[in-house]
Amino acid sequence: MEKKQTILIVEDERKISSFIKRGLTDAGYFVDTAFTGDEALDKVSEEFSLIILDLMLPDMDGFDICKKIRKDGIQVPMIILTAKNSTEDKIKGLDIGADDYLTKPFAIGELLSRIKALLRRGPSISGGELKVGDLILNTKTHEVYRNGKLIELSQKEFSILEYMMYNKDIVLTRTMIEDHAWDYEFDNFSNVVDVYIRMLRKKIDDGYKNKIIKTIRGVGYKVKG
Ligand code: CA
């Protein structure tokens, strides 16, 4: 049997902490929790597979915790999970060494898929670049290149592509993509995801023999190099 991976949740709100804990436990991970910055710094070690870090803690600023962990040379993948949703905070978080940034409120499914992506990829993506074949997406500058050529994307298109590239080789259903890119729900017959995928294909795959966006009939989509 594969060794179970342990995730550290640093979160002062007990309700959120136990909600995440339940989701992760159900998904087959071991979980440890810290409710303050002090406790987090006490517990943090290379033994963890991943750290989920809240920014607003009673005794410490999450950014400082993140900095301290990286300064100590601990390279465990880290996801910042916070109500702070400004682009500045997001950039700051990624700059000081977090690997991903997810804002509250969040869907547990999205957190899980980001965890999966990070654990598969290991801690080496801190540079902010996602790569699938010759397609490169920079999460910091929001630029996308295929074969060295800059591609202009709308914010929504970028968000969908980023999500798909984080989860490369994984089939994403329309509902997963919808949940990620929109805050409101569509009715079941909405084809908004298909519309966006069509637009993305036009910009990314048109003119290339190797198509990066694949349709998985009856299920959804995935990106593959
Ligand atoms: Ca908090």
Side-chain angles (χ1 to χ4, degrees), residues 11-13 54 56-57:
E11 168 68 70
D12 61 312
E13 281 166 75
D54 177 31
M56 288 182 272
L57 295 160

Side-chain angles (χ1 to χ4, degrees), residues 81-96:
L81 182 62
T82 177
K84 290 185 168 189
N85 59 5
S86 75
T87 309
E88 291 74 36
D89 282 328
K90 195 172 175 178
I91 291 170
K92 187 176 172 191
L94 296 170
D95 272 349
I96 60 175

Side-chain angles (χ1 to χ4, degrees), residues 40-102:
L41 289 176
D42 258 4
K43 286 192 172 178
V44 159
S45 77
E46 296 275 0
E47 295 298 298
F48 290 103
S49 302
L50 188 132
I51 300 164
I52 296 170
L53 178 66
D54 177 31
L55 287 183
M56 288 182 272
L57 295 160
D59 60 335
M60 226 181 263
D61 180 77
F63 286 128
D64 292 335
I65 298 175
C66 179
K67 264 191 252 173
K68 174 90 173 61
I69 291 172
R70 292 301 185 235
K71 219 182 124 219
D72 288 346
I74 295 172
Q75 288 302 318
V76 175
M78 206 171 344
I79 300 177
I80 290 179
L81 182 62
T82 177
K84 290 185 168 189
N85 59 5
S86 75
T87 309
E88 291 74 36
D89 282 328
K90 195 172 175 178
I91 291 170
K92 187 176 172 191
L94 296 170
D95 272 349
I96 60 175
D99 300 282
D100 201 354
Y101 195 107
L102 186 60

Side-chain angles (χ1 to χ4, degrees), residues 4 20 34 63 68 80 101 138 150 156 169 184:
K4 257 199 184 186
I20 300 171
F63 286 128
K68 174 90 173 61
I80 290 179
Y101 195 107
N138 190 309
L150 182 66
K156 198 60 88 186
D169 298 329
Y184 44 91

Side-chain angles (χ1 to χ4, degrees), residues 6-201:
T6 308
I7 294 175
L8 178 64
I9 304 170
V10 184
E11 168 68 70
D12 61 312
E13 281 166 75
R14 305 254 162 185
K15 257 172 113 174
I16 298 179
S17 177
S18 65
F19 169 70
I20 300 171
K21 185 176 177 176
R22 199 171 56 226
L24 297 186
T25 308
D26 286 350
Y29 298 105
F30 284 128
V31 173
D32 199 350
T33 50
F35 297 99
T36 64
D38 253 349
E39 209 185 336
L41 289 176
D42 258 4
K43 286 192 172 178
V44 159
S45 77
E46 296 275 0
E47 295 298 298
F48 290 103
S49 302
L50 188 132
I51 300 164
I52 296 170
L53 178 66
D54 177 31
L55 287 183
M56 288 182 272
L57 295 160
D59 60 335
M60 226 181 263
D61 180 77
F63 286 128
D64 292 335
I65 298 175
C66 179
K67 264 191 252 173
K68 174 90 173 61
I69 291 172
R70 292 301 185 235
K71 219 182 124 219
D72 288 346
I74 295 172
Q75 288 302 318
V76 175
M78 206 171 344
I79 300 177
I80 290 179
L81 182 62
T82 177
K84 290 185 168 189
N85 59 5
S86 75
T87 309
E88 291 74 36
D89 282 328
K90 195 172 175 178
I91 291 170
K92 187 176 172 191
L94 296 170
D95 272 349
I96 60 175
D99 300 282
D100 201 354
Y101 195 107
L102 186 60
T103 50
K104 297 173 186 170
F106 62 97
I108 194 76
E110 173 164 19
L111 179 62
L112 285 170
S113 69
R114 293 196 183 206
I115 288 171
K116 244 203 242 162
L118 274 178
L119 290 180
R120 199 175 46 237
R121 191 166 48 219
S124 60
I125 57 103
S126 319
E129 277 193 350
L130 297 173
K131 274 185 203 167
V132 177
D134 57 358
L135 182 68
I136 295 173
L137 178 147
N138 190 309
T139 58
K140 290 183 184 173
T141 62
H142 271 225
E143 284 174 339
V144 176
Y145 290 89
R146 172 130 198 211
N147 195 22
K149 207 177 116 215
L150 182 66
I151 297 168
E152 299 277 353
L153 295 181
S154 71
Q155 210 183 331
K156 198 60 88 186
E157 289 165 348
F158 181 90
S159 158
I160 293 171
L161 185 64
E162 182 184 26
Y163 177 58
M164 294 180 81
M165 289 176 75
Y166 262 120
N167 293 290
K168 74 171 175 183
D169 298 329
I170 295 177
V171 183
L172 302 169
T173 65
R174 288 173 180 79
T175 313
M176 285 164 83
I177 296 172
E178 258 178 43
D179 284 351
H180 170 80
W182 285 274
D183 295 329
Y184 44 91
E185 285 189 20
F186 296 100
D187 65 66
N188 290 332
F189 306 104
S190 158
N191 66 343
V192 66
V193 170
D194 303 293
V195 171
Y196 271 91
I197 294 287
R198 209 175 305 142
M199 294 192 289
L200 272 172
R201 278 192 160 134

